mmCIF file with all atom_site columns, all heavy atoms in Angstrom:
data_model
loop_
_atom_site.group_PDB
_atom_site.id
_atom_site.type_symbol
_atom_site.label_atom_id
_atom_site.label_alt_id
_atom_site.label_comp_id
_atom_site.label_asym_id
_atom_site.label_entity_id
_atom_site.label_seq_id
_atom_site.pdbx_PDB_ins_code
_atom_site.Cartn_x
_atom_site.Cartn_y
_atom_site.Cartn_z
_atom_site.occupancy
_atom_site.B_iso_or_equiv
_atom_site.pdbx_formal_charge
_atom_site.auth_seq_id
_atom_site.auth_comp_id
_atom_site.auth_asym_id
_atom_site.auth_atom_id
_atom_site.pdbx_PDB_model_num
ATOM 1   N N   . VAL O 1 44 ? 10.188 33.809 -40.998 1.00 0.00 ? 450 VAL O N   1
ATOM 2   C CA  . VAL O 1 44 ? 9.614  33.556 -42.352 1.00 0.00 ? 450 VAL O CA  1
ATOM 3   C C   . VAL O 1 44 ? 10.069 32.104 -42.764 1.00 0.00 ? 450 VAL O C   1
ATOM 4   O O   . VAL O 1 44 ? 9.216  31.322 -43.299 1.00 0.00 ? 450 VAL O O   1
ATOM 5   C CB  . VAL O 1 44 ? 10.116 34.498 -43.272 1.00 0.00 ? 450 VAL O CB  1
ATOM 6   C CG1 . VAL O 1 44 ? 9.694  34.123 -44.811 1.00 0.00 ? 450 VAL O CG1 1
ATOM 7   C CG2 . VAL O 1 44 ? 9.474  35.931 -43.077 1.00 0.00 ? 450 VAL O CG2 1
ATOM 8   N N   . GLU O 1 45 ? 11.220 31.812 -42.487 1.00 0.00 ? 451 GLU O N   1
ATOM 9   C CA  . GLU O 1 45 ? 11.845 30.497 -42.733 1.00 0.00 ? 451 GLU O CA  1
ATOM 10  C C   . GLU O 1 45 ? 10.900 29.334 -41.997 1.00 0.00 ? 451 GLU O C   1
ATOM 11  O O   . GLU O 1 45 ? 10.563 28.339 -42.604 1.00 0.00 ? 451 GLU O O   1
ATOM 12  C CB  . GLU O 1 45 ? 13.243 30.363 -42.344 1.00 0.00 ? 451 GLU O CB  1
ATOM 13  C CG  . GLU O 1 45 ? 14.226 30.965 -43.307 1.00 0.00 ? 451 GLU O CG  1
ATOM 14  C CD  . GLU O 1 45 ? 15.643 30.975 -42.739 1.00 0.00 ? 451 GLU O CD  1
ATOM 15  O OE1 . GLU O 1 45 ? 15.971 30.540 -41.619 1.00 0.00 ? 451 GLU O OE1 1
ATOM 16  O OE2 . GLU O 1 45 ? 16.540 31.565 -43.435 1.00 0.00 ? 451 GLU O OE2 1
ATOM 17  N N   . GLN O 1 46 ? 10.698 29.614 -40.897 1.00 0.00 ? 452 GLN O N   1
ATOM 18  C CA  . GLN O 1 46 ? 9.869  28.606 -40.046 1.00 0.00 ? 452 GLN O CA  1
ATOM 19  C C   . GLN O 1 46 ? 8.478  28.649 -40.368 1.00 0.00 ? 452 GLN O C   1
ATOM 20  O O   . GLN O 1 46 ? 7.686  27.490 -40.343 1.00 0.00 ? 452 GLN O O   1
ATOM 21  C CB  . GLN O 1 46 ? 10.041 28.901 -38.605 1.00 0.00 ? 452 GLN O CB  1
ATOM 22  C CG  . GLN O 1 46 ? 11.471 28.610 -38.059 1.00 0.00 ? 452 GLN O CG  1
ATOM 23  C CD  . GLN O 1 46 ? 11.891 27.300 -38.409 1.00 0.00 ? 452 GLN O CD  1
ATOM 24  O OE1 . GLN O 1 46 ? 11.263 26.265 -38.383 1.00 0.00 ? 452 GLN O OE1 1
ATOM 25  N NE2 . GLN O 1 46 ? 13.233 27.177 -38.869 1.00 0.00 ? 452 GLN O NE2 1
ATOM 26  N N   . LEU O 1 47 ? 7.897  29.875 -40.837 1.00 0.00 ? 453 LEU O N   1
ATOM 27  C CA  . LEU O 1 47 ? 6.537  29.789 -41.386 1.00 0.00 ? 453 LEU O CA  1
ATOM 28  C C   . LEU O 1 47 ? 6.334  28.919 -42.580 1.00 0.00 ? 453 LEU O C   1
ATOM 29  O O   . LEU O 1 47 ? 5.388  28.110 -42.684 1.00 0.00 ? 453 LEU O O   1
ATOM 30  C CB  . LEU O 1 47 ? 6.150  31.271 -41.587 1.00 0.00 ? 453 LEU O CB  1
ATOM 31  C CG  . LEU O 1 47 ? 5.521  31.937 -40.364 1.00 0.00 ? 453 LEU O CG  1
ATOM 32  C CD1 . LEU O 1 47 ? 5.326  33.467 -40.826 1.00 0.00 ? 453 LEU O CD1 1
ATOM 33  C CD2 . LEU O 1 47 ? 4.209  31.345 -39.917 1.00 0.00 ? 453 LEU O CD2 1
ATOM 34  N N   . PHE O 1 48 ? 7.463  28.942 -43.313 1.00 0.00 ? 454 PHE O N   1
ATOM 35  C CA  . PHE O 1 48 ? 7.349  28.077 -44.639 1.00 0.00 ? 454 PHE O CA  1
ATOM 36  C C   . PHE O 1 48 ? 7.417  26.644 -44.136 1.00 0.00 ? 454 PHE O C   1
ATOM 37  O O   . PHE O 1 48 ? 6.712  25.748 -44.587 1.00 0.00 ? 454 PHE O O   1
ATOM 38  C CB  . PHE O 1 48 ? 8.598  28.479 -45.420 1.00 0.00 ? 454 PHE O CB  1
ATOM 39  C CG  . PHE O 1 48 ? 8.695  27.553 -46.747 1.00 0.00 ? 454 PHE O CG  1
ATOM 40  C CD1 . PHE O 1 48 ? 7.931  27.741 -47.773 1.00 0.00 ? 454 PHE O CD1 1
ATOM 41  C CD2 . PHE O 1 48 ? 9.562  26.427 -46.751 1.00 0.00 ? 454 PHE O CD2 1
ATOM 42  C CE1 . PHE O 1 48 ? 7.994  26.868 -48.871 1.00 0.00 ? 454 PHE O CE1 1
ATOM 43  C CE2 . PHE O 1 48 ? 9.706  25.539 -47.858 1.00 0.00 ? 454 PHE O CE2 1
ATOM 44  C CZ  . PHE O 1 48 ? 8.805  25.857 -48.913 1.00 0.00 ? 454 PHE O CZ  1
ATOM 45  N N   . SER O 1 49 ? 8.401  26.306 -43.287 1.00 0.00 ? 455 SER O N   1
ATOM 46  C CA  . SER O 1 49 ? 8.668  24.929 -42.858 1.00 0.00 ? 455 SER O CA  1
ATOM 47  C C   . SER O 1 49 ? 7.528  24.429 -42.101 1.00 0.00 ? 455 SER O C   1
ATOM 48  O O   . SER O 1 49 ? 7.038  23.206 -42.434 1.00 0.00 ? 455 SER O O   1
ATOM 49  C CB  . SER O 1 49 ? 9.889  24.975 -42.071 1.00 0.00 ? 455 SER O CB  1
ATOM 50  O OG  . SER O 1 49 ? 10.049 23.637 -41.406 1.00 0.00 ? 455 SER O OG  1
ATOM 51  N N   . VAL O 1 50 ? 6.929  25.176 -41.137 1.00 0.00 ? 456 VAL O N   1
ATOM 52  C CA  . VAL O 1 50 ? 5.849  24.566 -40.213 1.00 0.00 ? 456 VAL O CA  1
ATOM 53  C C   . VAL O 1 50 ? 4.459  24.872 -40.962 1.00 0.00 ? 456 VAL O C   1
ATOM 54  O O   . VAL O 1 50 ? 3.622  23.953 -40.833 1.00 0.00 ? 456 VAL O O   1
ATOM 55  C CB  . VAL O 1 50 ? 5.851  25.340 -39.028 1.00 0.00 ? 456 VAL O CB  1
ATOM 56  C CG1 . VAL O 1 50 ? 4.717  25.091 -38.136 1.00 0.00 ? 456 VAL O CG1 1
ATOM 57  C CG2 . VAL O 1 50 ? 7.095  25.031 -38.150 1.00 0.00 ? 456 VAL O CG2 1
ATOM 58  N N   . GLY O 1 51 ? 4.337  25.922 -41.630 1.00 0.00 ? 457 GLY O N   1
ATOM 59  C CA  . GLY O 1 51 ? 2.992  26.314 -42.225 1.00 0.00 ? 457 GLY O CA  1
ATOM 60  C C   . GLY O 1 51 ? 2.888  25.826 -43.735 1.00 0.00 ? 457 GLY O C   1
ATOM 61  O O   . GLY O 1 51 ? 1.978  24.987 -43.958 1.00 0.00 ? 457 GLY O O   1
ATOM 62  N N   . VAL O 1 52 ? 3.572  26.300 -44.508 1.00 0.00 ? 458 VAL O N   1
ATOM 63  C CA  . VAL O 1 52 ? 3.453  26.085 -46.033 1.00 0.00 ? 458 VAL O CA  1
ATOM 64  C C   . VAL O 1 52 ? 3.553  24.605 -46.298 1.00 0.00 ? 458 VAL O C   1
ATOM 65  O O   . VAL O 1 52 ? 2.706  24.065 -47.067 1.00 0.00 ? 458 VAL O O   1
ATOM 66  C CB  . VAL O 1 52 ? 4.502  26.930 -46.828 1.00 0.00 ? 458 VAL O CB  1
ATOM 67  C CG1 . VAL O 1 52 ? 4.360  26.636 -48.328 1.00 0.00 ? 458 VAL O CG1 1
ATOM 68  C CG2 . VAL O 1 52 ? 4.312  28.441 -46.582 1.00 0.00 ? 458 VAL O CG2 1
ATOM 69  N N   . LEU O 1 53 ? 4.515  23.927 -45.638 1.00 0.00 ? 459 LEU O N   1
ATOM 70  C CA  . LEU O 1 53 ? 4.722  22.547 -45.969 1.00 0.00 ? 459 LEU O CA  1
ATOM 71  C C   . LEU O 1 53 ? 3.525  21.670 -45.402 1.00 0.00 ? 459 LEU O C   1
ATOM 72  O O   . LEU O 1 53 ? 3.567  20.440 -45.621 1.00 0.00 ? 459 LEU O O   1
ATOM 73  C CB  . LEU O 1 53 ? 6.004  22.106 -45.411 1.00 0.00 ? 459 LEU O CB  1
ATOM 74  C CG  . LEU O 1 53 ? 7.305  22.632 -46.196 1.00 0.00 ? 459 LEU O CG  1
ATOM 75  C CD1 . LEU O 1 53 ? 8.529  22.044 -45.589 1.00 0.00 ? 459 LEU O CD1 1
ATOM 76  C CD2 . LEU O 1 53 ? 7.192  22.408 -47.714 1.00 0.00 ? 459 LEU O CD2 1
ATOM 77  N N   . THR O 1 54 ? 2.712  22.274 -44.589 1.00 0.00 ? 460 THR O N   1
ATOM 78  C CA  . THR O 1 54 ? 1.588  21.503 -44.002 1.00 0.00 ? 460 THR O CA  1
ATOM 79  C C   . THR O 1 54 ? 0.348  21.649 -44.848 1.00 0.00 ? 460 THR O C   1
ATOM 80  O O   . THR O 1 54 ? -0.780 21.083 -44.612 1.00 0.00 ? 460 THR O O   1
ATOM 81  C CB  . THR O 1 54 ? 1.312  21.916 -42.457 1.00 0.00 ? 460 THR O CB  1
ATOM 82  O OG1 . THR O 1 54 ? 2.700  21.920 -41.886 1.00 0.00 ? 460 THR O OG1 1
ATOM 83  C CG2 . THR O 1 54 ? 0.455  20.860 -41.749 1.00 0.00 ? 460 THR O CG2 1
ATOM 84  N N   . VAL O 1 55 ? 0.354  22.694 -45.798 1.00 0.00 ? 461 VAL O N   1
ATOM 85  C CA  . VAL O 1 55 ? -0.854 23.080 -46.473 1.00 0.00 ? 461 VAL O CA  1
ATOM 86  C C   . VAL O 1 55 ? -1.528 21.919 -47.172 1.00 0.00 ? 461 VAL O C   1
ATOM 87  O O   . VAL O 1 55 ? -2.716 21.777 -47.186 1.00 0.00 ? 461 VAL O O   1
ATOM 88  C CB  . VAL O 1 55 ? -0.462 24.223 -47.455 1.00 0.00 ? 461 VAL O CB  1
ATOM 89  C CG1 . VAL O 1 55 ? -1.562 24.340 -48.566 1.00 0.00 ? 461 VAL O CG1 1
ATOM 90  C CG2 . VAL O 1 55 ? -0.440 25.572 -46.667 1.00 0.00 ? 461 VAL O CG2 1
ATOM 91  N N   . LEU O 1 56 ? -0.680 21.018 -47.871 1.00 0.00 ? 462 LEU O N   1
ATOM 92  C CA  . LEU O 1 56 ? -1.253 19.999 -48.776 1.00 0.00 ? 462 LEU O CA  1
ATOM 93  C C   . LEU O 1 56 ? -2.132 19.104 -47.804 1.00 0.00 ? 462 LEU O C   1
ATOM 94  O O   . LEU O 1 56 ? -3.295 18.766 -48.240 1.00 0.00 ? 462 LEU O O   1
ATOM 95  C CB  . LEU O 1 56 ? -0.123 19.232 -49.371 1.00 0.00 ? 462 LEU O CB  1
ATOM 96  C CG  . LEU O 1 56 ? -0.640 18.077 -50.407 1.00 0.00 ? 462 LEU O CG  1
ATOM 97  C CD1 . LEU O 1 56 ? -1.402 18.774 -51.543 1.00 0.00 ? 462 LEU O CD1 1
ATOM 98  C CD2 . LEU O 1 56 ? 0.539  17.265 -50.851 1.00 0.00 ? 462 LEU O CD2 1
ATOM 99  N N   . ILE O 1 57 ? -1.580 18.566 -46.805 1.00 0.00 ? 463 ILE O N   1
ATOM 100 C CA  . ILE O 1 57 ? -2.472 17.594 -46.002 1.00 0.00 ? 463 ILE O CA  1
ATOM 101 C C   . ILE O 1 57 ? -3.612 18.219 -45.324 1.00 0.00 ? 463 ILE O C   1
ATOM 102 O O   . ILE O 1 57 ? -4.676 17.698 -45.324 1.00 0.00 ? 463 ILE O O   1
ATOM 103 C CB  . ILE O 1 57 ? -1.532 16.932 -44.822 1.00 0.00 ? 463 ILE O CB  1
ATOM 104 C CG1 . ILE O 1 57 ? -2.294 15.848 -44.320 1.00 0.00 ? 463 ILE O CG1 1
ATOM 105 C CG2 . ILE O 1 57 ? -1.062 17.893 -43.747 1.00 0.00 ? 463 ILE O CG2 1
ATOM 106 C CD1 . ILE O 1 57 ? -1.533 14.966 -43.362 1.00 0.00 ? 463 ILE O CD1 1
#
Side-chain angles (χ1 to χ4, degrees):
Chain O
V450 173
E451 281 171 3
Q452 290 310 316
L453 275 172
F454 177 79
S455 167
V456 170
V458 177
L459 296 182
T460 315
V461 161
L462 183 64
I463 189 171

